[in-house]
Amino acid sequence: MAWKIDNEKCLRCGACVSVCPELALELKETGIVHDAKKCTLCGICEKVCPVRAIEVKK
Amino acid sequence: MIKDSYDVVVAGAGPGGSSVSKTLAELGFSVLMVEKRQEIGAPKRCGEGLTMNTVDIIGEIPQECIRQKIDGATLYAPNGNHVLVDLGAEGGYIVERKAFDKWLAVRASRAGATVVAHAEVTDVIKEGSQVTGVRILVGGGEEKTVRAKVVVAADGVESTVSRKAGLNTTNKLVNVDSGYQYEMSNLKLETSKRIILYFGNDIAPRGYLWIFPKGPDIANVGIGTAMSEKPAKWYLDKFIKDHPEIFGQSSIIEANSGGIPVGGFLENMVLDGFLVVGDAAHQVNPIHGGGMKEATIAGEMAAKVIAKAIEKGDVSASVLSEYNEMWWKERGSKLKKVEKLREVVEKLSDSDFNMISESLTSDVAIGLTRGGKMYSLAKILMKNPRLVKLARHLI
Ligand SMILES: Cc1cc2nc3c(=O)[nH]c(=O)nc-3n(C[C@H](O)[C@H](O)[C@H](O)COP(=O)(O)OP(=O)(O)OC[C@H]3O[C@@H](n4cnc5c(N)ncnc54)[C@H](O)[C@@H]3O)c2cc1C
Ligand code: SF4
Ligand code: SF4
């Protein structure tokens, strides 16, 4: 069970933020901030990311 | 610099935010527009293409924001067959978003709005159902409460401000294009006056690939795909490798990614003391993904409705909902048709694209992007019995 981001790949575009149904993601200056308490590991953010910087394992 | 209260606070300084801010400031209202990034307009999340009729809305665009005048488009079917679309005198521009977005913000500031970069709306303050202000993180340090009669979310695709206010703007995965783009130099382009679009399920699944020239050998080379097996970047890299005649000696001078809301328009875009515009409200043309013009139009509409509401002393959702009606009447009804077109295009196979390219004319292609000419496309599709059902979806 894990949500992972590769910060080297991420271009800070916010596409993942826009689809997260739980508002578990926010784009900050330092990059994407993930709130594990809200995340349901649904995997939608992984699918939308244009560079697949996110990996979600159920 | 930031005061304790304003008539209107706008979150986000893209084309949508600047449009709302400029219009309201001109009408004499006090406006604060905050942008969380350290530089307005950068890095871009955009192919930078503008149709000329956008000038009617935005006004004359200064020379330093324009990179290339466009007078046509070449559409490539998967088999290499192509259609030349003549945009004629109307045409369009490829702009420099870094300069363009800043120019829009400067205009808003000159009209009297206070603009602050590196200031992020972190939360929305409500009293009951009424939005009464926001929390702003200024310069990454101090957090400040600012009160407003109306708060406008113009925060782009992320759209967290509306969701924090209690308006669900979450994009459905099927309605978001994954965008990836390089700005490239030393390209071999036939002409810099035409944009080039490539279609095909191996090239850009459920989307298209574009070359938007910014000069004789410089262009934004990008792709939008939806629900694709591989990430958008993978398809773009493959295309570049497969076309050495264009990219053989090229260089990459910028890399961008982004999500483009291409459907799922919102019936309701207001709350008590609150309203959302632009990408944050999914106001994008679903077929080509252009949103600068839509954000600007919606921004002006929103500003006029807000001005009336404040003057009346009633900023409740029932008054602000005039914005819903205006937008749906002027833009939503047209864009909804374009969304239908998109649903049809997404289902086309490569051989369908090839077939369409045999009969598609310039004026039908242009009409389609504006929600017209659906019948003409349906007629082309009906030539293939398998596509009759799909064609009916258009009419
Ligand atoms: C790859 C790609 C190519 C595109 N190509 C084109 C094109 O060729 N032509 C075209 O017209 N459109 C194009 N678009 C779409 C276009 O970029 C957008 O539709 C347009 O920028 C929308 O304007 P906006 O003002 O709504 O949002 P934006 O321009 O995204 O501005 C929103 C701003 O709000 C800021 N913000 C976010 N959250 C906060 C917060 N909490 N507090 C403060 N500020 C915040 C953001 O940093 C951002 O600067 C493209 C999009 C992509 C991704
Ligand atoms: S969609 Fe991907 S590249 Fe964009 S911000 Fe999210 S993780 Fe980063
Ligand atoms: S896995 Fe689902 S809930 Fe978790 S961050 Fe991604 S989109 Fe949000």
Side-chain angles (χ1 to χ4, degrees), chain B residues 23-148:
Chain B
T23 313
L24 279 167
E26 278 169 354
L27 293 169
F29 295 93
S30 66
V31 181
L32 171 70
M33 174 166 72
V34 291
E35 165 57 52
K36 76 173 170 185
R37 297 198 270 178
Q38 70 181 84
E39 184 177 5
I40 289 171
K44 67 176 184 258
R45 298 179 277 201
C46 189
E48 308 183 294
L50 266 188
T51 50
M52 205 59 97
N53 57 18
T54 310
V55 177
D56 301 340
I57 304 148
I58 293 187
E60 214 43 61
I61 299 168
Q63 209 50 45
E64 69 263 24
C65 303
I66 299 171
R67 289 292 298 271
Q68 181 65 49
K69 167 94 176 57
I70 297 297
D71 60 21
T74 313
L75 316 183
Y76 275 92
N79 66 358
N81 195 15
H82 57 274
V83 180
L84 278 184
V85 178
D86 182 10
L87 297 168
E90 203 176 307
Y93 289 136
I94 308 299
V95 295
E96 183 72 36
R97 278 291 298 259
K98 289 179 186 99
F100 182 70
D101 283 24
K102 273 193 190 140
W103 168 65
L104 293 174
V106 166
R107 273 205 321 184
S109 76
R110 285 185 182 142
T114 301
V115 182
V116 183
H118 201 189
E120 175 187 355
V121 170
T122 52
D123 215 346
V124 175
I125 299 161
K126 284 175 95 170
E127 284 164 26
S129 67
Q130 185 77 30
V131 172
T132 56
V134 288
R135 295 280 292 165
I136 300 175
L137 180 68
V138 189
E142 166 211 12
E143 201 157 33
K144 198 174 156 61
T145 299
V146 177
R147 298 183 67 85

Side-chain angles (χ1 to χ4, degrees), chain B residues 41-338:
Chain B
K44 67 176 184 258
R45 298 179 277 201
C46 189
E48 308 183 294
L50 266 188
T51 50
M52 205 59 97
N53 57 18
T54 310
V55 177
D56 301 340
I57 304 148
I58 293 187
E60 214 43 61
I61 299 168
Q63 209 50 45
E64 69 263 24
C65 303
I66 299 171
R67 289 292 298 271
Q68 181 65 49
K69 167 94 176 57
I70 297 297
D71 60 21
T74 313
L75 316 183
Y76 275 92
N79 66 358
N81 195 15
H82 57 274
V83 180
L84 278 184
V85 178
D86 182 10
L87 297 168
E90 203 176 307
Y93 289 136
I94 308 299
V95 295
E96 183 72 36
R97 278 291 298 259
K98 289 179 186 99
F100 182 70
D101 283 24
K102 273 193 190 140
W103 168 65
L104 293 174
V106 166
R107 273 205 321 184
S109 76
R110 285 185 182 142
T114 301
V115 182
V116 183
H118 201 189
E120 175 187 355
V121 170
T122 52
D123 215 346
V124 175
I125 299 161
K126 284 175 95 170
E127 284 164 26
S129 67
Q130 185 77 30
V131 172
T132 56
V134 288
R135 295 280 292 165
I136 300 175
L137 180 68
V138 189
E142 166 211 12
E143 201 157 33
K144 198 174 156 61
T145 299
V146 177
R147 298 183 67 85
K149 292 178 184 138
V150 179
V151 171
V152 177
D155 53 336
V157 71
E158 295 156 52
S159 205
T160 58
V161 176
S162 297
R163 291 185 278 172
K164 285 176 179 171
L167 188 68
N168 187 2
T169 54
T170 307
N171 272 306
K172 289 212 179 75
L173 187 59
V174 286
N175 289 331
V176 188
D177 261 9
S178 299
Y180 191 76
Q181 178 178 271
Y182 297 120
E183 185 167 333
M184 300 183 84
S185 63
N186 203 24
L187 297 165
K188 294 244 160 8
L189 300 172
E190 230 173 79
T191 166
S192 55
K193 292 222 164 78
R194 272 201 304 272
I195 58 168
I196 316 176
L197 310 179
Y198 298 86
F199 296 86
N201 289 303
D202 293 331
I203 295 169
R206 301 181 63 178
Y208 69 92
L209 191 145
W210 64 81
I211 299 179
F212 284 6
K214 295 180 81 171
D217 67 343
I218 299 180
N220 288 323
V221 182
I223 190 170
T225 66
M227 317 268 291
S228 55
E229 197 192 319
K230 301 243 172 32
K233 179 179 189 297
W234 185 89
Y235 294 95
L236 186 65
D237 287 337
K238 179 170 186 302
F239 184 84
I240 289 169
K241 203 167 125 236
D242 289 347
H243 291 273
E245 75 285 4
I246 307 173
F247 305 105
Q249 302 298 318
S250 66
S251 289
I252 295 169
I253 56 175
E254 184 172 334
N256 310 110
S257 70
I260 314 167
V262 286
F265 302 114
L266 304 170
E267 290 296 331
N268 177 40
M269 301 177 282
V270 306
L271 297 170
D272 292 329
F274 185 88
L275 186 154
V276 55
V277 302
D279 271 21
H282 315 171
Q283 292 162 340
V284 174
N285 183 307
I287 200 75
H288 56 57
M292 287 190 268
K293 173 178 149 189
E294 298 303 335
T296 306
I297 296 177
E300 274 185 23
M301 285 179 186
K304 283 176 190 152
V305 172
I306 292 169
K308 257 209 304 204
I310 294 179
E311 266 159 16
K312 216 172 141 186
D314 181 358
V315 294
S316 66
S318 60
V319 172
L320 294 180
S321 71
E322 189 189 345
Y323 164 65
N324 289 329
E325 285 142 35
M326 267 165 101
W327 186 82
W328 273 99
K329 183 162 172 275
E330 298 293 325
R331 302 306 306 157
S333 52
K334 283 196 191 85
L335 293 177
K336 195 81 194 160
K337 284 187 195 150
V338 181

Side-chain angles (χ1 to χ4, degrees), chain A residues 3 19-22 24-25 34 38-45 56:
Chain A
W3 182 98
V19 294
C20 175
E22 309 301 328
L25 300 174
H34 173 249
K38 289 185 186 163
C39 177
T40 60
L41 299 174
C42 69
I44 296 177
C45 54
V56 184

Side-chain angles (χ1 to χ4, degrees), chain A residues 22-56:
Chain A
E22 309 301 328
L23 206 56
L25 300 174
E26 282 201 58
L27 179 59
K28 300 283 176 186
E29 254 178 302
T30 47
I32 291 292
V33 176
H34 173 249
D35 184 341
K37 288 197 291 294
K38 289 185 186 163
C39 177
T40 60
L41 299 174
C42 69
I44 296 177
C45 54
E46 175 182 355
K47 294 201 185 82
V48 87
C49 175
V51 297
R52 292 278 151 97
I54 297 174
E55 202 189 328
V56 184

